[in-house]
Amino acid sequence: PPMEASGSAFLVLVAGQLEGADFPEHDSLYCKYSLVYGPDWVVAAGLEEGATQLARKSQDARGVFAWNFPIDVTFKSTNPFGWPRIVVSVYGLDAFGRDVVRGYGSVHLPTVPGRKKVKIAMFVPQASSRLQQLTSWVLGQRPEFIDARFVAQGQGREITRVRSQGEVTLSVQTILKDLRKHGYVTTV
């Protein structure tokens, strides 16, 4: 394969953390993340997915959740198509102690070097009819995606009913290596 030859690929190094979230209606939450990327990308080092601890809402005026969960990954590629995205899924417990999805969100990892703080807008799927809403409430099975990485795709999203709910804060430091050698400009 072409990426095995020395110097034939560029590197994208991302280190940072899922700092926390702002979900006013909830008291305790945890987050799962996964990285989604194109076919020409390979994870050279680091983890592609992870899960934070369960955090309680702060008791101060801000009322936010703090996870400070580390993310550290290095990608190798020969093509910027399929630039990596982070997909986050936030979960909490319902009144019966069951895990319930509280929101999904996704953003591209930064395409320029440097430090960046990103607010990821979250949304939650909605039932498509009153009957489905009633059934999901009675059974305690709220609508959720089978695969959270669905939110990083464009296909099928136009028919999905969602409601905005909360945001997650991601802060990362990005280092890009050898993009200029491949003819890509990396400055703002």
PDB file of all heavy atoms in Angstrom, residues 156 172-173:
ATOM      1  N   GLY A 156     -29.811   9.741   4.723  1.00  0.00           N
ATOM      2  CA  GLY A 156     -30.905   9.403   5.611  1.00  0.00           C
ATOM      3  C   GLY A 156     -31.208  10.442   6.677  1.00  0.00           C
ATOM      4  O   GLY A 156     -32.211  10.342   7.375  1.00  0.00           O
ATOM      5  N   VAL A 172      -9.125  21.027  21.810  1.00  0.00           N
ATOM      6  CA  VAL A 172      -8.058  20.211  21.226  1.00  0.00           C
ATOM      7  C   VAL A 172      -6.904  21.078  20.734  1.00  0.00           C
ATOM      8  O   VAL A 172      -7.070  22.236  20.393  1.00  0.00           O
ATOM      9  CB  VAL A 172      -8.565  19.343  20.045  1.00  0.00           C
ATOM     10  CG1 VAL A 172      -9.506  18.259  20.529  1.00  0.00           C
ATOM     11  CG2 VAL A 172      -9.205  20.164  18.972  1.00  0.00           C
ATOM     12  N   GLN A 173      -5.752  20.455  20.701  1.00  0.00           N
ATOM     13  CA  GLN A 173      -4.546  21.005  20.090  1.00  0.00           C
ATOM     14  C   GLN A 173      -4.274  20.139  18.870  1.00  0.00           C
ATOM     15  O   GLN A 173      -4.185  18.905  19.000  1.00  0.00           O
ATOM     16  CB  GLN A 173      -3.372  20.942  21.072  1.00  0.00           C
ATOM     17  CG  GLN A 173      -2.050  21.407  20.520  1.00  0.00           C
ATOM     18  CD  GLN A 173      -1.967  22.916  20.406  1.00  0.00           C
ATOM     19  OE1 GLN A 173      -2.556  23.628  21.192  1.00  0.00           O
ATOM     20  NE2 GLN A 173      -1.231  23.389  19.429  1.00  0.00           N
TER      21      GLN A 173
END
